[in-house]
Amino acid sequence: MTAFGKIKSRLLTFLKYFSLVFFSFIAVLPVVSCVITAFKTTEEYQSTNVMTLPGSWLNFSNFVEAFQRANMGRGFLNSGIVLVCVLAGSILIGTQLAYILNRFKFPGNGLIRNLFLFATLLPGVAMQVSVYSIMNALGFINHLYGYIILMMGTDVISIYIFIQFFENIPVSLDESAIVDGASYFTIYGKILLPLLKPAIVTSMILKGVGTYNEYYMAQLYLQDKTKLGTVATSLFTFTGPLGSQYNLICAGVIISLLPALLIFVLCQKQIYSGLAAGAVKG
């Protein structure tokens, strides 16, 4: 290798690692700022900048106050109920729809697929007037079950993920099971569904994160915040026209991150294997 080639190689290596360090720093900086702010008293927050360390790292009063005033216990309960129901319903509905669209050829199959694709191109906010009218007519507003049904019906991406996985499963499995006397429900539930584990993990991550962090629709359709508030809406207790209490907001944000962090630590092997398998299918 010539001297110019060595210089070029070292320069590219330097730029690669510099970019990794730089963008990692940019990604971590807001989290570090949030943690620092969460431990500050109101006086410290008002008199210092966001990166100034708090006077004491043992000051947990912000966390206690945020949890109590924002009614985060009720928020975690409601978010947990919504998350479990939405994930179970979305996976059941999505896998069955994908199974029908992939395995059965009927008039209108392609039209339905195109309509799903068209639905992904429409901004959700633009359809909220009609959606709100439907929800109001059905009596689903200000009810947890109505919000759950609404969230289960907005998962087009997962349907396409399941369709791609079905296309990589040979039809000969279905045919062999039919010859042995298996019904379509048996083929779906006992043969094909277990093979969709990577797609299910991928879908659960995408849908779970979106549902847990959803604020707009939770704020719009769950109007009784004392009984129906979620984790996302509870954080806005400390905002108002006279100012926002960012030290309490940051404390609430850290509290809301703990369940997701715990799940990630306990299930990171399954998450990584599911995402890796989902990336090579299709």
Side-chain angles (χ1 to χ4, degrees):
M1 181 181 293
T2 62
F4 177 76
K6 291 181 179 179
I7 295 174
K8 181 180 179 181
S9 176
R10 292 177 180 176
L11 180 61
L12 291 175
T13 302
F14 170 77
L15 291 176
K16 178 176 68 175
Y17 286 105
F18 175 80
S19 62
L20 289 175
V21 173
F22 176 76
F23 288 111
S24 299
F25 175 77
I26 295 298
V28 172
L29 186 61
V31 180
V32 173
S33 173
C34 183
V35 172
I36 292 174
T37 304
F39 285 91
K40 289 182 178 182
T41 62
T42 303
E43 293 75 15
E44 285 179 330
Y45 175 75
Q46 293 175 350
S47 60
T48 60
N49 62 63
V50 292
M51 296 307 294
T52 302
L53 298 179
S56 174
W57 289 100
L58 300 177
N59 177 28
F60 296 100
S61 60
N62 288 342
F63 296 92
V64 176
E65 185 176 356
F67 190 87
Q68 293 176 346
R69 285 181 55 188
N71 198 15
M72 295 192 72
R74 171 66 67 174
F76 277 119
L77 177 62
N78 291 336
S79 293
I81 294 173
V82 170
L83 193 60
V84 171
C85 294
V86 168
L87 289 181
S90 297
I91 291 171
L92 186 64
I93 295 172
T95 51
Q96 289 181 351
L97 275 173
Y99 173 60
I100 293 173
L101 292 175
N102 179 258
R103 289 302 200 252
F104 298 92
K105 305 303 178 183
F106 54 89
N109 186 305
L111 176 62
I112 295 175
R113 293 195 185 201
N114 292 332
L115 288 176
F116 278 129
L117 179 62
F118 180 71
T120 61
L121 303 177
L122 294 175
V125 178
M127 298 184 291
Q128 282 306 313
V129 174
S130 57
V131 173
Y132 189 89
S133 300
I134 296 173
M135 293 283 288
N136 186 46
L138 295 174
F140 284 171
I141 295 178
N142 212 25
H143 292 287
L144 205 60
Y145 61 83
Y147 177 68
I148 291 172
I149 294 173
L150 175 66
M151 294 301 296
M152 283 194 299
T154 56
D155 198 23
V156 180
I157 301 299
S158 294
I159 295 174
Y160 275 99
I161 293 175
F162 293 135
I163 289 176
Q164 291 298 318
F165 266 76
F166 272 120
E167 290 180 351
N168 288 274
I169 299 176
V171 183
S172 57
L173 287 176
D174 304 44
E175 296 172 346
S176 300
I178 292 174
V179 170
D180 292 335
S183 64
Y184 289 122
F185 288 102
T186 303
I187 295 171
Y188 161 77
K190 294 186 177 180
I191 299 176
L192 298 179
L193 194 61
L195 298 177
L196 292 177
K197 181 181 177 181
I200 291 174
V201 172
T202 304
S203 177
M204 287 180 65
I205 294 171
L206 297 176
K207 188 66 176 180
V209 172
T211 303
Y212 187 74
N213 294 328
E214 175 59 46
Y215 169 75
Y216 176 77
M217 286 194 288
Q219 180 74 10
L220 183 62
Y221 295 105
L222 301 178
Q223 298 171 359
D224 186 359
K225 298 301 182 291
T226 58
K227 297 181 179 179
L228 301 177
T230 63
V231 174
T233 58
S234 65
L235 295 178
F236 284 80
T237 303
F238 309 107
T239 62
L242 300 180
S244 301
Q245 298 171 281
Y246 286 104
N247 54 333
L248 298 179
I249 292 175
C250 291
V253 168
I254 294 176
I255 293 174
S256 67
L257 286 176
L258 291 179
L261 181 62
L262 181 62
I263 292 174
F264 174 77
V265 171
L266 295 177
C267 306
Q268 58 180 324
K269 182 178 179 181
Q270 290 80 3
I271 292 174
Y272 284 138
S273 61
L275 288 176
V280 298
K281 295 288 183 180

